[in-house]
Amino acid sequence: MIELFDVTRRFGDETAVDRISLRVERGEFCVLVGTSGCGKSTTLRMINRLIEHSEGEIHLDGQPIRDFPEDQLRRRIGYAIQSTGLFPHWTVARNIGLVPRLLQWSGSRIQDRVEALMALLGLPPEFAHKYPHQLSGGQAQRVGVARALAADPDILLMDEPFGALDPITRQTLQVELRDLQDRLDKTIVFVTHDMDEALALADRLVVMHEGRIVQQGSPIELLRAPADDFVASLLGGDDRGLKEAALVRVGERMQPITPKVGEAPWVSREATLNQALSLMLWHQTRHLLVVDDADAPVGRLSLDALLQKAHHE
Amino acid sequence: MSEAAFNGPGSVNGRSRWRFAVPLIWLTALLLLAVGMTTLEPLFRLFEPDLRQVIYDREHFWVLLGEHVLMVAVAALLATCVGVAAAVAVTRAAGRDFMPMVAQLASIGQTFPPVAVLALAVPVLGFGTVPLIVALLLYGLLPIVRNTLAGIQGISAEVLEAARGMGMTPRQVLLQVELPLAAPVILAGIRTSVTVNVATAALGATVGASNLGDPIISGIVNGNTAYIIQGAVMIGLLALTVDSLFEQLQPGVPGQSSGAQSGQG
Ligand SMILES: Nc1ncnc2c1ncn2[C@@H]1O[C@H](COP(=O)(O)OP(=O)(O)OP(=O)(O)O)[C@@H](O)[C@H]1O
Ligand SMILES: [Mg+2]
């Protein structure tokens, strides 16, 4: 659990972070969003003490972070940044194994862990001996994420970790990360500029503006009731309807009747409502056949069902 | 990405096995001359046909060479220790205030003519090897300090942030990240320092530090061009040997442009 109580950080006369309070429960996925320079990275770095807070208190599992020696605190907290900061003179494998080595794991345990992480992040084994400058931006980011996960920390701080990835890899990693977090109960604080990414990942979405938190809550809460015009426009303005539809699965809205096969264009049960809507627009139809993972028909989704249910959510 | 175009740091060993050929050639020439200068007597006779003695013989050339190398090596070792330590100290958070002062001192060290340093050192330290080594140390400090500073400051802020963020102690950051990444630039500084001092050390002869400068000074005093040439050629070959050796030692660290700043400004 991470708690921030009235935390402030000043750089000279400028207040980068202004009396923010935030509580991230154990196993919660917290995403910080906001315009450039609003203090997201500063907030993140204060949690692992790369930047000291000027005022207020930050607690980790109820204990002030200043009670821990800095380096020990940081070894418990995974940290991934957009620019990766991989060590140019170390191989990929050595970079990933950094924190386990600092924690003095045995050589074979480190090697096993590195191999497992490379597989998890879709890095081919032969990459182990490459150097960072031989990697593409996206590959380097995956190595950066692997390094952050290496010692299996309970807490992960991630500052635009998928910034340089293509949409497909990005989505794969989002699913991976979400999955990892669900399975292993990680507490994650994540910064992104990609609102779709934020909405898809967040349990708690935190909107920052000029060093303050203007609103926080679940993605649906924020989409439904933005505190002000700034939050509304940041979350997508008039696209908010579609953004919300992207958070609901077709399976939740379909009518579980066995449809006639070949009746209509089909959509996966796992797809989101905005994808279903897009298919309806594309095929100029009001009905979609819903299929399961094995492509077997399991139900039917009508435009009315899609719209109606959305109203009394 | 082409495999052929890239070589990791492991390639230092993988480079051509002839890589030490050039330094070896210079070294062989140097050693042959050191033991067999007398065989070239007819040649030096051409320069000074009227003089009785054309080969410097107050000391064996190999002894002079050995002493020359020793003096430069000791000075280089001291300059490296002091220079790197000073540069490291002023790049730590605690020492940052002293950065301009150290940079300035090191520059002044080089603008000061070594002859003047020698002249000033003799009254304090007496004649002999010690004042020479002090002069060489001061003179060789600048390129090492400057390159160590440049090497450490040239490391990307993200790498350092990651190093700290992963939980490395300041000492681990220095030893495992900063120094290895700065090493090529530091080595370039040491190379400049040593090469310049191989020549500068010849001045030692004027304060009684016996080395390859002896034949030169003696040649000047006695009007014997052959002596001067013998000393100068030996010093030149030594400089070439040392410089080409450093060139081969220069590691190529990936991600860091090696030798981006060579010491000679
Ligand atoms: N080390 C520093 N020294 C001085 N000012 C800083 C420092 N770090 C951040 N700031 C200032 O603090 C403010 C917040 O910066 P921060 O990096 O937290 O923004 P951000 O929300 O992460 O922005 P972005 O989305 O562009 O990454 C900015 O105005 C920035 O100029
Ligand atoms: Mg930022």
Side-chain angles (χ1 to χ4, degrees):
Chain A
M1 186 176 56
I2 306 167
E3 290 163 300
L4 280 70
F5 302 103
D6 281 329
V7 172
T8 296
R9 169 69 210 204
R10 287 189 207 89
F11 292 107
D13 288 341
E14 189 194 3
T15 307
V17 170
D18 193 6
R19 280 171 290 144
I20 64 169
S21 294
L22 177 66
R23 181 189 169 102
V24 186
E25 298 292 340
R26 183 180 173 81
E28 195 173 26
F29 202 129
C30 173
V31 178
L32 306 182
V33 294
T35 45
S36 200
C38 68
K40 304 181 295 292
S41 300
T42 305
T43 304
L44 215 61
R45 286 178 175 140
M46 283 192 292
I47 297 173
N48 67 3
R49 290 185 68 186
L50 281 177
I51 295 179
E52 294 289 346
H53 45 285
S54 314
E55 276 166 30
E57 285 207 13
I58 301 178
H59 290 187
L60 219 64
D61 295 330
Q63 224 183 329
I65 53 169
R66 285 187 175 148
D67 285 2
F68 303 98
E70 282 175 60
D71 22 270
Q72 248 122 69
L73 175 82
R74 293 185 194 131
R75 287 173 200 176
R76 281 181 49 187
I77 302 179
Y79 185 52
I81 51 180
Q82 177 174 18
S83 51
T84 74
L86 295 176
F87 297 172
H89 59 309
W90 284 11
T91 61
V92 165
R94 192 143 185 235
N95 266 292
I96 296 176
L98 169 59
V99 184
R101 202 167 319 105
L102 293 177
L103 295 170
Q104 298 177 338
W105 289 16
S106 74
S108 60
R109 188 172 165 213
I110 295 175
Q111 197 182 343
D112 291 348
R113 181 70 184 150
V114 168
E115 282 168 13
L117 281 165
M118 289 184 62
L120 177 71
L121 290 160
L123 291 162
E126 61 268 22
F127 273 51
H129 305 292
K130 289 196 188 251
Y131 286 87
H133 72 138
Q134 294 172 278
L135 306 177
S136 73
Q139 290 161 347
Q141 284 202 335
R142 277 184 272 172
V143 175
V145 172
R147 179 176 64 178
L149 295 172
D152 206 11
D154 292 332
I155 297 170
L156 280 170
L157 305 178
M158 311 183 92
D159 199 342
E160 304 182 44
F162 304 149
L165 295 173
D166 64 278
I168 295 173
T169 317
R170 184 184 259 255
Q171 209 180 1
T172 316
L173 284 185
Q174 286 169 6
V175 172
E176 256 344 310
L177 187 63
R178 194 62 241 205
D179 190 51
L180 199 81
Q181 195 252 349
D182 286 341
R183 268 188 300 135
L184 303 177
D185 228 24
K186 304 275 184 216
T187 308
I188 302 180
V189 185
F190 190 102
V191 172
T192 181
H193 279 291
D194 179 339
M195 206 47 60
D196 293 318
E197 180 168 82
L199 292 168
L201 290 175
D203 294 319
R204 176 190 300 273
L205 190 58
V206 176
V207 179
M208 292 184 66
H209 187 51
E210 291 175 354
R212 295 164 188 249
I213 293 179
V214 281
Q215 195 176 8
Q216 53 177 309
S218 76
I220 296 275
E221 279 166 19
L222 264 63
L223 282 168
R224 275 300 157 103
D228 56 23
D229 289 348
F230 171 76
V231 178
S233 74
L234 189 75
L235 293 184
D238 290 341
D239 281 346
R240 276 179 292 144
L242 288 173
K243 305 260 185 220
E244 187 185 328
L247 300 178
V248 185
R249 310 244 162 244
V250 165
E252 298 170 34
R253 295 287 163 85
M254 69 176 191
Q255 293 144 293
I257 51 170
T258 317
K260 285 171 248 135
V261 179
E263 176 193 37
W266 55 269
V267 63
S268 161
R269 184 168 55 184
E270 295 302 314
T272 55
L273 289 188
N274 65 332
Q275 290 169 322
L277 188 61
S278 168
L279 280 170
M280 288 178 183
L281 287 168
W282 183 254
H283 292 287
Q284 297 176 311
T285 176
R286 295 174 161 270
H287 301 280
L288 291 176
L289 178 65
V290 181
V291 298
D292 64 10
D293 296 341
D295 280 353
V298 289
R300 207 175 109 108
L301 180 73
S302 70
L303 180 58
D304 287 342
L306 192 154
L307 296 178
Q308 266 172 19
K309 287 259 189 125
H311 274 296
H312 56 254
E313 170 91 12
Chain B
M1 192 175 320
S2 106
E3 278 296 315
F6 169 77
N7 283 309
S11 70
V12 169
N13 308 317
R15 240 188 265 170
S16 156
R17 68 188 135 114
W18 296 107
R19 54 191 285 248
F20 284 110
V22 175
L24 217 60
I25 289 169
W26 294 130
L27 182 65
T28 314
L30 180 66
L31 293 178
L32 282 178
L33 212 56
V35 294
M37 192 68 90
T38 44
T39 57
L40 294 179
E41 186 162 355
L43 183 68
F44 288 111
R45 191 58 70 200
L46 298 176
F47 291 98
E48 297 288 354
D50 307 330
L51 290 177
R52 195 168 52 85
Q53 185 60 270
V54 293
I55 301 289
Y56 185 79
D57 66 347
R58 248 169 276 167
E59 185 57 276
H60 294 296
F61 274 99
W62 50 268
V63 174
L64 294 177
L65 173 63
E67 278 169 333
H68 201 99
V69 169
L70 197 68
M71 288 171 200
V72 173
V74 169
L77 204 70
L78 291 175
T80 303
C81 294
V82 175
V84 172
V88 164
V90 298
T91 47
R92 301 308 97 185
R96 213 160 287 260
D97 293 344
F98 296 94
M99 170 100 66
M101 195 188 83
V102 165
Q104 220 164 16
L105 275 181
S107 328
I108 290 170
Q110 186 136 38
T111 51
F112 226 68
V115 185
V117 177
L118 277 179
L120 290 175
V122 167
V124 184
L125 303 165
F127 276 88
T129 316
V130 180
L132 175 67
I133 288 183
V134 170
L136 293 183
L137 164 65
L138 290 179
Y139 204 57
L141 220 45
L142 171 75
I144 296 177
V145 170
R146 186 171 57 188
N147 276 36
T148 307
L149 283 177
I152 289 178
Q153 289 170 337
I155 298 170
S156 87
E158 286 85 20
V159 168
L160 294 177
E161 173 175 347
R164 292 205 303 134
M166 296 298 133
M168 291 178 108
T169 60
R171 188 190 163 85
Q172 286 167 329
V173 176
L174 176 67
L175 295 180
Q176 297 183 36
V177 181
E178 291 179 279
L179 287 181
L181 282 176
V185 187
I186 298 176
L187 205 65
I190 298 174
R191 176 180 172 183
T192 308
S193 164
V194 172
T195 315
V196 167
N197 272 349
V198 164
T200 312
L203 291 174
T206 60
V207 294
S210 158
N211 60 31
L212 289 173
D214 282 10
I216 296 179
I217 301 297
S218 169
I220 292 171
V221 172
N222 303 321
N224 190 331
T225 315
Y227 284 6
I228 299 179
I229 293 173
Q230 287 153 23
V233 167
M234 291 285 288
I235 289 173
L237 281 175
L238 179 59
L240 283 170
T241 308
V242 170
D243 193 57
S244 56
L245 199 67
F246 268 107
E247 188 175 349
Q248 296 311 318
L249 289 178
Q250 197 76 58
V253 167
Q256 192 88 352
S257 52
S258 59
Q261 6 247 324
S262 77
Q264 203 87 43

